[in-house]
Amino acid sequence: MSAACRAGLAGSIYLTFRRTASMRLLRSTALLLALSISPALAVVNDPPGNRSKTQPPIDMSSIKRVGETKESFEGKYQKIYALLKRDKNLIRSIKKSAAQYGIDPIHMIGAIVGEHTYNVGGLDSAQAYYVKGLAYLGTKDLAFGYAGISIASFVARPEFADCNDLTTNYDLWTCRENVWDSTFRGKRVDGVSYPRDRFSKVFFQPLFAGQTFGLGQINPLTALTVTDIVHRKSGLPLLDMDKAPEVYQAIMDPDISLDYMAAIIRLSIDVYRDTAGVDISDNPGITATLYNIGDVKVRARTLAAARKRNKAAWPEENYYGWLINEREDELRKLL
């Protein structure tokens, strides 16, 4: 075979190889694209409004509380509604925080109204929360812990070691709560008897009655779970579990706590979108429900599993969220 023929044959083989390789690459790319837009990962919008025609049963602790104060739920609703209606500066602050976190301010209104209707009595003005926030900041001996064990030394125990590599505060503290439930809750460990109660109640209720505080009724532990989000979005200092007065001041002072409220709601929306493929950003009754009951990732995973079996499965509101959806038109007038 002449040199020219050999060169021509080699060129033909090379071109054939390139075409074959290119086709393989195209098929592989097409497969990857198909997987990336798999219907299982497509996000769907949660239908607005309530799933239930009637309000689900109200928690007995709320019923007991309203009985003790000789109030009514409707009376408490009207009280917090009136506070929001007359405090234009507060509404402006709510809108500002909501915009910073990319959420509809109705979600924050819903959380505030829900908390003050079912979980706490309303104050006469938001200014009272500023005063309380400063009082907490001035309490120098305030510390998180249990039976002389500081929270920092407790979570430094080897049982919590697997949590330390987690990169978000939410995952870190959720992991620590899980370790608490499985290893310490209601058990005697190294000579210390631990109560059969929630991690937040045992270690994050040092001096004052109650477990949630401020306009948004935020638990100190919940604030710690989103402090990295607030730091990133708002530029506020990171909260430290060793500095309890600063944690309380953050959740009591409306200038700070509104950003924490927005972060908590933003987290719920993102988790449901990324875990269950459901966008709840247009359903304030669902975000209010999650604000009330927590455990967002667990509930999102449960919904994801339910939707694999039945695409008609949607998030369901509790009594607290049901009220917010039922009164949404009225609540939007505040904005």
Side-chain angles (χ1 to χ4, degrees):
M1 182 181 294
S2 67
C5 289
R6 286 197 299 270
L9 179 60
S12 177
I13 292 171
Y14 174 72
L15 289 172
T16 301
F17 172 78
R18 285 193 62 185
R19 283 195 295 267
T20 303
S22 296
M23 289 302 294
R24 287 175 179 165
L25 179 60
L26 286 170
R27 285 195 295 267
S28 298
T29 302
L31 177 60
L32 288 173
L33 286 171
L35 289 173
S36 69
I37 58 174
S38 167
L41 299 179
V43 177
V44 296
N45 293 326
D46 182 34
N50 287 318
R51 305 287 86 83
S52 176
K53 291 182 179 180
T54 58
Q55 187 175 30
I58 298 173
D59 188 87
M60 284 304 300
S61 62
S62 293
I63 294 174
K64 181 180 178 182
R65 191 177 298 114
V66 78
E68 290 172 346
T69 58
K70 294 181 171 57
E71 297 176 286
S72 68
F73 292 124
E74 182 61 26
K76 294 177 70 178
Y77 170 86
Q78 293 298 336
K79 186 174 183 179
I80 186 61
Y81 189 94
L83 185 155
L84 292 168
K85 185 176 181 179
R86 66 175 175 263
D87 197 331
K88 303 302 182 184
N89 288 331
L90 178 58
I91 294 297
R92 280 193 288 270
S93 295
I94 289 170
K95 288 181 176 180
K96 180 180 177 181
S97 292
Q100 192 163 15
Y101 287 79
I103 63 174
D104 187 331
I106 192 63
H107 296 294
M108 297 181 67
I109 293 291
I112 292 170
V113 168
E115 289 297 325
H116 287 78
T117 298
Y118 294 111
N119 292 333
V120 66
L123 298 183
D124 291 330
S125 71
Q127 185 64 29
Y129 284 118
Y130 288 96
V131 174
K132 282 195 171 187
L134 291 173
Y136 278 79
L137 186 60
T139 308
K140 300 302 181 184
D141 56 347
L142 192 63
F144 296 130
Y146 171 74
I149 306 167
S150 72
I151 184 60
S153 63
F154 183 67
V155 298
R157 292 179 61 109
E159 291 90 342
F160 295 94
D162 289 344
C163 301
N164 295 334
D165 292 333
L166 297 172
T167 58
T168 70
N169 278 43
Y170 181 85
D171 288 338
L172 172 64
W173 284 104
T174 298
C175 177
R176 287 169 172 171
E177 283 188 276
N178 291 339
V179 172
W180 162 261
D181 287 336
S182 63
T183 307
F184 297 95
R185 182 172 179 167
K187 299 178 182 179
R188 186 175 180 83
V189 181
D190 294 338
V192 179
S193 294
Y194 294 96
R196 189 178 298 278
D197 214 331
R198 294 187 302 278
F199 186 42
S200 60
K201 186 174 181 180
V202 174
F203 274 89
F204 293 89
Q205 192 180 347
L207 290 179
F208 298 91
Q211 298 172 53
T212 57
F213 302 85
L215 189 65
Q217 287 298 290
I218 300 172
N219 183 288
L221 177 56
T222 303
L224 289 169
T225 67
V226 296
T227 187
D228 53 341
I229 299 174
V230 174
H231 175 67
R232 185 170 63 250
K233 288 276 190 180
S234 303
L236 293 171
L238 287 167
L239 297 179
D240 188 329
M241 60 183 163
D242 281 333
K243 297 178 179 178
E246 293 179 8
V247 176
Y248 274 104
Q249 198 255 347
I251 60 181
M252 290 296 294
D253 183 343
D255 285 340
I256 305 173
S257 67
L258 288 175
D259 282 355
Y260 274 85
M261 284 189 67
I264 293 165
I265 294 166
R266 177 77 261 173
L267 177 68
S268 295
I269 292 171
D270 291 346
V271 167
Y272 264 64
R273 180 198 62 213
D274 298 340
T275 303
V278 176
D279 183 355
I280 59 174
S281 62
D282 291 328
N283 195 325
I286 296 301
T287 58
T289 296
L290 295 171
Y291 193 90
N292 176 231
I293 60 181
D295 291 333
V296 174
K297 280 199 174 180
V298 173
R299 298 179 194 282
R301 291 185 188 120
T302 300
L303 176 62
R307 286 185 56 77
K308 284 184 178 180
R309 298 187 299 269
N310 177 14
K311 291 302 179 185
W314 297 106
E316 295 183 3
E317 69 284 343
N318 69 349
Y319 65 93
Y320 176 125
W322 189 93
L323 175 75
I324 303 309
N325 273 344
E326 182 72 7
R327 305 286 180 94
E328 181 179 352
D329 290 345
E330 182 178 26
L331 293 173
R332 284 194 178 276
K333 293 177 182 178
L334 295 170
L335 300 169

